[in-house]
Amino acid sequence: MTAAEIKNLIRDIPDFPKPGILFRDITPLIGNARGFAAVVDHLAEQFLGAADIVLGIESRGFIIGAPVAYRLGVGLTIVRKPGKLPFHTVDQSYDLEYGSAALQMHQDGIINQARVLIVDDLLATGGTAEAAVRLVRMVGGNVIGCAFVVELDALKGRERLAPINCYSLIHYD
C-alpha cells in the first residue's frame, strides 16, 4: 500500500476539538487491516536493528508503538499523563499553545544506554515528543529516532526535535 493510499484512509474533521482546528482522524486507517499493517511496516523498516525499545506516547502512540515494537522484535515502554502510572515515575512539563502539560514514565521503563525509538501518531509543534525525549534522557536512554504516522509540516515540529532522526509517513502542509 502506498503512502497516497494510506493518506486516503485518514479522515479530516473540521473544527475539532475546537473551532479553527482541522483534526486528522486516523481511526479509519487503523480500522483497515491492510492500511494499519502498511503503517506499521513502513515505520518499522526505517529503524530495523537500530532500537532496543520503542516508547509510545499516550494515547495513539500506544496503538502504533506496540505493533512497531513487535515488528522490530523489541519491547515497549510508555509515557502517560500524570497520575496514570502505578510505579515510581519521572516527570517532564512542556508548553502548549495555551498553557502547559506534563508527561510521566516509569523510572525503570528504559535500561541505561538503551537505544529508544519514540513513536506517536502525529508530529505537530514537537512539544510532546520533545518532552518524551527529555524523559528518555532523564532515565539514561539514547533516542535514536522518532517515527510518526502524520506530520503537520507547517508547524515545524521536526526542527524542534533536530538533530534527532525523524521519520513521518504522511505529510500535510
Side-chain angles (χ1 to χ4, degrees):
M1 182 173 269
T2 67
E5 292 170 320
I6 292 169
K7 192 172 188 176
N8 285 334
L9 294 171
I10 298 172
R11 177 173 41 208
D12 292 342
I13 309 288
D15 298 320
F16 183 84
K18 57 186 179 182
I21 303 292
L22 179 59
F23 185 78
R24 307 294 183 173
D25 180 16
I26 66 166
T27 58
L29 171 60
I30 62 176
N32 180 294
R34 283 189 60 234
F36 190 41
V39 165
V40 170
D41 287 344
H42 281 289
L43 295 181
E45 75 183 10
Q46 308 304 314
F47 298 95
L48 282 171
D52 299 315
I53 194 162
V54 168
L55 182 144
I57 299 174
E58 187 172 357
S59 64
R60 288 181 292 269
F62 301 168
I63 296 167
I64 308 298
V68 168
Y70 177 78
R71 178 76 171 79
L72 292 175
V74 301
L76 175 76
T77 192
I78 58 175
V79 295
R80 300 202 67 186
K81 294 173 184 159
K84 304 280 187 173
L85 293 171
F87 194 59
H88 303 292
T89 60
V90 291
D91 302 34
Q92 181 62 56
S93 297
Y94 60 101
D95 293 328
L96 300 171
E97 189 173 351
Y98 301 102
S100 64
L103 292 174
Q104 293 182 325
M105 70 179 296
H106 281 141
Q107 291 176 342
D108 62 354
I110 295 171
I111 296 169
N112 197 28
Q113 299 302 314
R115 299 171 299 161
V116 180
L117 172 63
I118 295 174
V119 175
D120 204 358
D121 65 320
L122 177 79
L123 175 60
T125 65
T128 305
E130 184 181 45
V133 168
R134 288 186 189 147
L135 285 170
V136 168
R137 291 178 177 156
M138 243 183 255
V139 297
N142 179 28
V143 177
I144 56 92
C146 295
F148 305 96
V149 178
V150 172
E151 182 172 347
L152 306 178
D153 296 338
L155 297 178
K156 303 185 184 302
R158 179 179 297 267
E159 292 176 16
R160 189 173 188 169
L161 296 172
I164 295 170
N165 175 25
C166 292
Y167 174 79
S168 299
L169 183 57
I170 306 295
H171 293 264
Y172 292 94
D173 292 330

